[in-house]
Amino acid sequence: MNKILILPLAAALAAPAYAVTFQRWQTADGATVTYAERRELPIVHMEIVFKGAGQTGESVKGAAAMTADMLTSGSEQYSEEELYDRSNRLGITIGSSAGTENASVSFASLSRRDTLSDGLKLANQIIAHPKFDEKILEREKTQAVTALRQSLSNPSFLASRALTILNYGNHAYADTARLNEADIAAVTSDALKAHHRSTYAKNNAYVAIVGDVSRKEADEMAAAVLDGLPAQADIHPIADIPQTDGRQQDIPFADKEQAVVVMGLPLLVHKDPDRYALTVGNYILGGGGFDSRLMKTLRDEKGLVYGVSSSLSPLEKKGPFAVSFSTKKGSAAEALAAARSVLENFIAQGPTEAELKQAKDNIVGSFPMSFDTNAKTVGLAAAVGVRGLPLDYYDNYTRNIEAVTAEQIKEVWQRRLDPKKMNVVTVGKETR
């Protein structure tokens, strides 16, 4: 879930791609700062990630997302309307969100000293002094229930939710997939305050700063935005992922002509030693759009789908690998069998040299777009900090992609992924 306070910054402030050098240090309070200086434009972007403040760190289901949503809904010093008004007059952007593992606050401002100083004071109010007003909470809960009901009428949402539960069972990674209206109704202002107090702290804060400021100024910015937070977070380690056993769940859905099919299992962790072979292999299998094997077989050869894709989503523990597509209700079984066959053949045979070259060319060729704006670069800087990546990780990324061989992909995919253990969900499959 994501909530943006205001977005007055002009799109014209986008910067062209160019080399970036990251620096990283710890503040006196224990926060980690990752910084890149970019002087081409008078703008600065900041992303503050609170590690462990996402769904895996909540004691009340739904509290993490609701806490993040309500950060911009009023503080000890300013009402919700005053926050909007002040941010609008300053021309700054502040947003907040909570994911599976972490929560984050994004901030963007002109680098002019008075604007930046006032903007940081406002961001500090949002991060360190949120109010969690009861009336606003009731409004947010009503909106959350409405959004959930709408999502439950979407077969793709139902499929993704069911696959997450098959993949992770009772693990915290599946908490969002199990969220229901009663959980939302049970969230209280006290629960949000407790979640904020225990998971938004200085020692689990990772501050990424990119733009028109010096390192000294970046250090001062980090201290200013975190001022008033507790020194220590109270966060429990994420449990290991249970083994999957290749189950299938068929969910009836009568209102659509199409059936949705998803298949997957937990696979990839941050800093995974096999990540480059898995990444290139995934592009060849289903991540490369019309270039992929799944698309060529299911769409071009068999005419079963308009589109099919595979994806990798790394987490601290094993994040999901997934294949997904929609097809006619009566074709779901045939399309699923075809997708399984493509996956099994890819794992057994590995890629061709032509496929490998095409994948590398596309991954390497598109990589500079990852840095073409400060907003994108600050996200990469945040990843360097939170995941503890080497400072030259992105400098070496394309070199590591280029080094992947067809034999390496075959070995890694055979060792890491057993097709028999893939969980499968169909929504709306025709029953006979």
Side-chain angles (χ1 to χ4, degrees):
M1 298 179 73
N2 185 51
K3 186 173 182 181
I4 299 296
L5 186 60
I6 195 158
L7 185 59
L9 293 171
L13 292 178
Y18 51 90
V20 177
T21 299
F22 291 123
Q23 300 179 49
R24 179 171 53 203
W25 65 89
Q26 273 203 319
T27 69
D29 294 322
T32 299
V33 181
T34 308
Y35 157 75
E37 184 176 20
R38 274 186 159 179
R39 296 291 190 175
E40 283 78 1
L41 296 170
I43 189 171
V44 58
H45 282 77
M46 176 187 289
E47 185 170 342
I48 307 99
V49 179
F50 293 95
K51 191 172 184 178
Q55 280 89 350
T56 49
E58 62 189 12
S59 56
V60 175
K61 199 181 296 184
M66 196 67 72
T67 297
D69 277 356
M70 287 196 63
L71 288 180
T72 57
S73 297
S75 71
E76 293 177 1
Q77 187 172 347
Y78 301 112
S79 68
E80 183 178 35
E81 293 77 14
E82 288 170 333
L83 286 176
Y84 275 90
D85 179 65
R86 291 184 67 83
S87 62
N88 192 28
R89 285 191 288 107
L90 289 168
I92 64 171
T93 301
I94 304 177
S96 53
S97 63
T100 300
E101 296 175 326
N102 309 317
S104 64
V105 175
S106 60
F107 171 83
S109 169
L110 294 174
S111 57
R112 191 174 61 196
R113 181 167 292 276
D114 57 345
T115 300
L116 183 56
S117 176
D118 289 344
L120 288 170
K121 290 175 183 176
L122 202 63
N124 174 254
Q125 278 289 307
I126 288 167
I127 292 170
H129 307 285
K131 189 173 182 181
F132 302 122
D133 181 86
E134 292 280 3
K135 291 183 179 179
I136 296 177
L137 174 59
E138 289 306 311
R139 181 195 71 195
E140 295 290 325
K141 287 162 65 172
T142 298
Q143 293 175 351
V145 168
T146 300
L148 178 60
R149 289 175 180 172
Q150 292 174 341
S151 295
L152 290 172
S153 67
N154 183 327
S156 295
F157 176 84
L158 292 174
S160 176
R161 181 179 169 104
L163 181 63
T164 299
I165 293 172
L166 288 183
N167 282 345
Y168 295 107
N170 292 323
H171 191 277
Y173 280 174
D175 278 357
T176 303
R178 293 191 295 266
L179 187 73
N180 57 40
E181 292 185 24
D183 295 323
I184 296 171
V187 174
T188 65
S189 179
D190 286 342
L192 301 188
K193 292 173 183 176
H195 180 75
H196 182 266
R197 185 168 55 249
S198 62
T199 63
Y200 286 68
K202 293 177 180 177
N203 75 316
N204 72 321
Y206 292 79
V207 183
I209 300 172
V210 174
D212 182 30
V213 290
S214 67
R215 171 170 172 154
K216 181 177 182 295
E217 289 169 328
D219 196 53
E220 293 169 350
M221 287 174 63
V225 82
L226 300 176
D227 185 48
L229 285 175
Q232 299 285 326
D234 181 18
I235 295 171
H236 302 292
I238 299 173
D240 289 334
I241 305 300
Q243 293 292 323
T244 59
D245 52 8
R247 291 175 289 165
Q248 180 166 336
Q249 182 179 359
D250 299 314
I251 302 173
F253 198 88
D255 297 337
K256 300 287 183 181
E257 295 181 0
Q258 296 279 308
V260 174
V261 180
V262 294
M263 53 194 294
L265 78 176
L267 183 66
L268 187 66
V269 299
H270 296 311
K271 297 198 293 186
D272 196 303
D274 296 324
R275 60 190 175 274
Y276 300 110
L278 289 169
T279 296
V280 179
N282 179 67
Y283 184 96
I284 296 166
L285 175 66
F290 290 102
D291 295 337
S292 72
R293 280 197 187 183
L294 283 167
M295 187 74 87
K296 289 177 180 177
T297 299
L298 271 68
R299 177 189 166 105
D300 299 346
E301 295 176 15
K302 297 182 179 294
L304 293 169
V305 302
Y306 286 111
V308 55
S309 64
S310 63
S311 61
L312 291 165
S313 303
L315 293 168
E316 184 172 331
K317 302 297 182 179
K318 290 181 181 179
F321 163 74
V323 174
S324 60
F325 57 88
S326 297
T327 186
K328 292 180 180 178
K329 284 179 176 288
S331 302
E334 182 185 0
L336 175 57
R340 283 187 182 278
S341 178
V342 172
L343 176 61
E344 290 166 358
N345 289 337
F346 177 74
I347 292 173
Q349 300 167 5
T352 66
E353 288 298 330
E355 287 175 324
L356 180 63
K357 182 180 186 305
Q358 186 177 45
K360 288 181 179 180
D361 287 348
N362 278 276
I363 294 171
V364 171
S366 63
F367 185 69
M369 297 298 291
S370 303
F371 294 89
D372 65 351
T373 67
N374 284 2
K376 291 181 184 178
T377 305
V378 79
L380 300 180
V384 167
V386 175
R387 300 174 190 174
L389 299 173
L391 290 175
D392 61 355
Y393 175 80
Y394 294 108
D395 294 333
N396 295 324
Y397 184 80
T398 55
R399 188 178 301 114
N400 286 320
I401 291 292
E402 291 280 17
V404 173
T405 66
E407 190 59 35
Q408 183 184 8
I409 293 173
K410 179 180 176 181
E411 186 277 327
V412 166
W413 281 73
Q414 287 182 353
R415 172 167 48 84
R416 294 291 298 273
L417 203 148
D418 182 354
K420 295 183 178 64
K421 294 184 177 180
M422 293 279 283
N423 294 309
V424 176
V425 175
T426 70
V427 178
K429 184 181 75 170
E430 186 175 276
T431 57
R432 299 179 188 273

